Amino acid sequence: MTASLTTAQACEQLGVKPATLYAYVSRGLIRSVPGPSGTRQRRYDAGDVQALAGRQATRRDPQAGVQAAVQGSLDGLRAGGGGGVTPILDSALTRIEDGTLAYRGVDALGLADTATVEAVAALLWTGDPRTRPTLPLRARLNLSRHPRADTPLEALGYALTYAGAHDPDALDTRPESGPRQAARILTLLHATAERHARLPPAPDLPLHARLARTWGRPDGADLLRRALILLADHELNVSAFTARVTASGGASLAHCTLAALSALQGPRHGLGALHAHDLLRAALSGDARAALRDATRRAGHAPGFGHALYPHGDPRARALLNALSGQYPDHPVTRATDAVIRAHAGDTAEHLNVDLALAALTLVLGRPAGDAVTLFALARVTGWLAHALETRAGGQFIRPRARYVGPA
């Protein structure tokens, strides 16, 4: 179910008369659907109206559009449905448009069906999935020298700090060394996750199989492969932009990744899956509506639902949940997830997002809530490295100016 507006509501948001609204519909800018049964009224897609209103506002005040893009306010994004915010950087990595996600022009959902994590990393880093650097990192960096971490995320942070300070390869700034360094960091982090699980590294396995082995769930390997690909990049989110800013100052790829990892750990970015995990775990008791109500009270919103860039639904979430229900159709978590989605649909037109799918996946595999964020981080490392490499190659120095509003 998609949110819709009456003629009066749509005209008010756009600041136009009905005749202009009808012209927008005829030009395909706004979708129209039948109104209540038994009437001749029409309704207008709320996401289309918001996107068009945002684009109009940006044309009237380009500076305000740029400011909204830099600030990245959720309200600003929603006002434009994601499409009304002025882009502030050129990038050839990821396109989010009309409810679709593509890496360098290749549909991400199609890649999740057939590709390896390594091939997608090579695609993002070089533009060619066949140029994957072969670097079997057999824990060349002395992982035993790291402090013992309490969580996998903490262990990843220690590894990146150590690599940035002690890996001589990180000091090589030649452009051709970038993909090799990126592969080294990505495999280092998988080796770190293995060490945290007290397992020896398995460098000859594909990355998704290594993670499945680390989690003790070889049956979940293909689901993890899909998740690692679907979450590999998502344009200029908080953590990717952090990686770009850090790279623009000349930092090593390890330090760029460390900065992005730190930015990930906020409730409005990577930690959203924790609330969704708690919601689904509570829904396993059988009362999805009560679990949703309690989770919404704690988080201030329905965890795992709504995304400013996908007003009609997050394609990553649906793709991952379809694969999960296909493999585990009768699992209690699968049933609980479906019940939560139905309960939420009865109250609002807000669609599920990838946080809910991550929570469902980790619960099905018997993993704690924190591993939903660990999976998010291990997936997004690929994109962080791609953003850092692209920033390096473009020679960008990202240093926005502030508009001073303090005392004269």
Side-chain angles (χ1 to χ4, degrees):
M1 178 181 178
T2 301
S4 61
L5 304 174
T6 65
T7 301
Q9 290 170 331
C11 288
E12 181 181 1
Q13 287 198 21
L14 292 167
V16 299
K17 295 181 178 180
T20 305
L21 173 65
Y22 304 148
Y24 290 151
V25 173
S26 66
R27 289 158 54 192
L29 298 175
I30 295 175
R31 284 168 287 187
S32 172
V33 296
S37 177
T39 73
R40 300 180 63 184
Q41 297 177 10
R42 304 291 295 179
R43 292 289 189 269
Y44 304 93
D45 187 276
D48 291 348
V49 171
Q50 290 169 354
L52 182 57
R55 290 194 293 272
Q56 291 174 335
T58 297
R59 284 194 293 269
R60 289 192 297 269
D61 187 355
Q63 186 176 5
V66 173
Q67 183 175 350
V70 173
Q71 290 178 340
S73 67
L74 189 58
D75 290 342
L77 282 169
R78 282 178 174 159
V85 175
T86 302
I88 61 171
L89 286 173
D90 291 337
S91 175
L93 298 178
T94 297
R95 185 186 72 241
I96 302 170
E97 189 174 89
D98 297 330
T100 64
L101 173 69
Y103 302 147
R104 292 193 182 271
V106 183
D107 179 57
L109 272 64
L111 289 170
D113 284 337
T114 60
T116 64
V117 176
E118 290 84 349
V120 171
L123 174 66
L124 283 167
W125 296 342
T126 70
D128 186 350
R130 299 168 297 178
T131 61
R132 176 167 67 92
T134 55
L135 181 68
L137 179 71
R138 300 181 185 275
R140 290 190 181 97
L141 293 175
N142 189 351
L143 300 181
S144 64
R145 296 182 62 180
H146 301 171
R148 180 64 191 173
D150 292 332
T151 68
L153 276 181
E154 188 180 3
L156 299 185
Y158 285 152
L160 291 168
T161 301
Y162 187 85
H166 298 287
D167 185 4
D169 191 60
L171 304 176
D172 188 343
T173 59
R174 292 173 299 175
E176 62 270 19
S177 71
R180 187 190 73 248
Q181 290 176 341
R184 186 171 176 83
I185 290 169
L186 184 58
T187 50
L188 167 67
L189 295 183
H190 279 269
T192 301
E194 289 164 335
R195 177 177 180 266
H196 185 77
R198 302 184 186 278
L199 292 172
D204 296 322
L205 289 178
L207 290 176
H208 71 281
R210 290 183 73 169
L211 182 56
R213 171 179 171 267
T214 299
W215 282 8
R217 291 299 300 259
D219 59 313
D222 189 65
L223 289 169
L224 291 174
R225 181 191 61 79
R226 290 175 182 272
L228 290 168
I229 290 173
L230 290 169
L231 289 164
D233 190 46
H234 209 233
E235 204 219 63
L236 287 186
N237 51 71
V238 173
S239 55
F241 189 67
T242 300
R244 279 186 174 267
V245 172
T246 308
S248 78
S252 71
L253 291 184
H255 284 136
C256 294
T257 308
L258 177 62
L261 179 67
S262 300
L264 181 75
Q265 299 180 55
R268 297 177 70 178
H269 189 20
L271 300 189
L274 297 180
H275 288 303
H277 194 281
D278 292 342
L279 162 62
L280 293 182
R281 189 169 53 191
L284 286 169
S285 65
D287 193 339
R289 184 169 292 279
L292 188 59
R293 182 187 63 243
D294 293 343
T296 301
R297 182 183 297 116
R298 288 192 300 271
H301 61 92
F305 290 90
H307 197 296
L309 298 183
Y310 299 117
H312 306 299
D314 186 336
R316 304 167 300 169
R318 183 47 60 193
L320 195 52
L321 283 181
N322 285 344
L324 187 66
S325 61
Q327 186 167 339
Y328 300 101
D330 299 319
H331 196 285
V333 173
T334 303
R335 294 198 297 268
T337 303
D338 290 341
V340 166
I341 293 171
R342 289 195 303 271
H344 191 62
D347 299 326
T348 176
E350 200 173 39
H351 295 274
L352 71 153
N353 64 38
V354 79
D355 286 338
L356 193 74
L358 273 179
L361 172 57
T362 48
L363 271 170
V364 165
L365 297 183
R367 304 300 300 180
D371 274 349
V373 187
T374 302
L375 177 56
F376 196 142
L378 287 172
R380 193 56 59 83
V381 166
T382 296
W384 296 337
L385 290 164
H387 282 279
L389 290 171
E390 188 176 53
T391 302
R392 270 188 180 181
Q396 296 167 309
F397 181 61
I398 304 173
R399 202 290 189 194
R401 292 296 309 278
R403 182 185 298 111
Y404 178 70
V405 296

